[in-house]
Amino acid sequence: MINGENLIPVAIPWAMVGGGRQSQIGYIHRSAALRDGVFKLVAGAFDIDAQRGHDFGVAIGVNAERCYADYKTMFAAEALRQDGIRAVSIATPNGTHFAISKAALEAGQHVVCEKPLCFTTAEAEELRALATTKNKVVGVTYGYAGHQLIEQAREMIAADELGEIRIVQMQFAHGFHNEAVEAANPATKWRVDPKMAGPSYVLGDIGTHPLYLSEVMLPQLKIQRLMCSRQSFVKSRAPLEDNAFTIMEYDNGAVGYVWSCAVNAGSMHGQKIRVIGSKASIEWWDERPNQMTFEVQGKPLQVLERGMGYLHPRALADDRIGGGHPEGLFEAWSNLYVRYAQAMAASDRGDKAALAELHYPGIEAGIEGVRWVENCVRSADAGATWVDYR
Ligand code: NAD
């Protein structure tokens, strides 16, 4: 249980790049990183507009001289300080992630980066090599993975409660972009511009979220080949897709399916994962994150509730308030930020055993997300044909 006691000896001095006043995702990064006292926000280059970023930094309590005009200036200036930053979170549009992550690692910073980590597997592998050389942790914010019941699913599958895994059914299918809302919304506009979004829209923006949940629940499954069909129902978004269907075959004979969609009119989030084994199935939906269904063939449906004593200790370790009181995305992200901080602290003291015990969306998850999108796009653009996963 997380109850406010220190989780690492000293809070890590931390900065943000992006996540400024008008950003969608900046606040949850700060809320998650600061909630349990594992990070201390001391600097930032919060905005593409230097003055706005400065004003915003001051307004959230950062010392004015440490609100920088851009990330390069920040890394250089912080390196000269005794009390300089040791970690940075990057919450900027996709097209900037690679350059900023690279600069941060070169400056000796631990990194938490938004997804997608970058545009190509080659770039992602370059970041991994750099992180290894510099002995730094890279976290990637697949935030839904911090929900307790995802941990419970992982433990139930490992304990063979589902039997042999046959089918993994996934979707992230919301309806918010059923029309060309990007015309009036800057945060959507860059998402459908290949220069800033990369080779895909919904595959990278949302499909990779349930994909990562499947990696947490089923760490042993490896994709062998996949087939993807993608469409731009709002024509002006072409060549980027606002809908995609991906079928995957895994190396153990199981199959998987991901529906990535931003035009599912009427749907709020629609992120679900259902894992079907030979004996039973589990299903989790991010709009009801405190419950997970467990269906054993021939028995009545069970609904597992977050925070209850019957859950696995690894799931309960993340609990903050006990069953019945709903927890949500903010707590899920906080759980991940705690693990990022613990990994950074363990890395700094060279504690390999502690590092091996921690699991969180890190550089491998970042690489896998980029690799999956690359393979989906290759298949879709070849006419929705099967492609070997590489
Ligand atoms: P946004 O457009 O709402 O905000 C982007 C912010 O970054 C703004 O404050 C902007 O001024 C700032 N910025 C842009 N370029 C910058 C630069 N070079 N230096 C400093 N600041 C810069 O975008 P958003 O919706 O918050 O998305 C940001 C990132 O977060 C994207 O990569 C997106 O995919 C990701 N995201 C992740 C999740 C998740 O669940 N993990 C959810 C939403 C967004």
Side-chain angles (χ1 to χ4, degrees), residues 12 14-18 25 28-30 32-33 38-39 75 86-92 97 100-101 104-105 109-117 127 136-143 333 336-344 360-363:
I12 298 169
W14 171 71
M16 285 196 76
V17 181
I25 208 69
I28 195 169
H29 277 274
R30 288 185 290 278
V38 287
F39 291 96
F75 295 144
R86 286 178 33 230
V88 63
S89 290
I90 301 164
T92 52
H97 293 174
I100 303 175
S101 297
L105 288 168
Q109 300 295 331
H110 295 293
V111 171
V112 174
C113 185
E114 266 302 344
K115 41 52 57 176
L117 180 59
L127 292 178
K136 296 295 160 201
V137 168
V138 175
V140 180
T141 37
Y142 288 118
W333 276 61
L336 292 189
Y337 260 99
V338 165
R339 291 184 225 160
Y340 296 146
Q342 289 172 329
M344 291 171 191
Y360 57 88
I363 188 76

Side-chain angles (χ1 to χ4, degrees), residues 20 23-25 45 47-48 92-94 97 114-115 141 190-191:
S23 79
Q24 183 191 118
I25 208 69
D47 204 298
I48 188 73
T92 52
N94 304 354
H97 293 174
E114 266 302 344
K115 41 52 57 176
T141 37
W190 68 253
R191 283 177 157 81

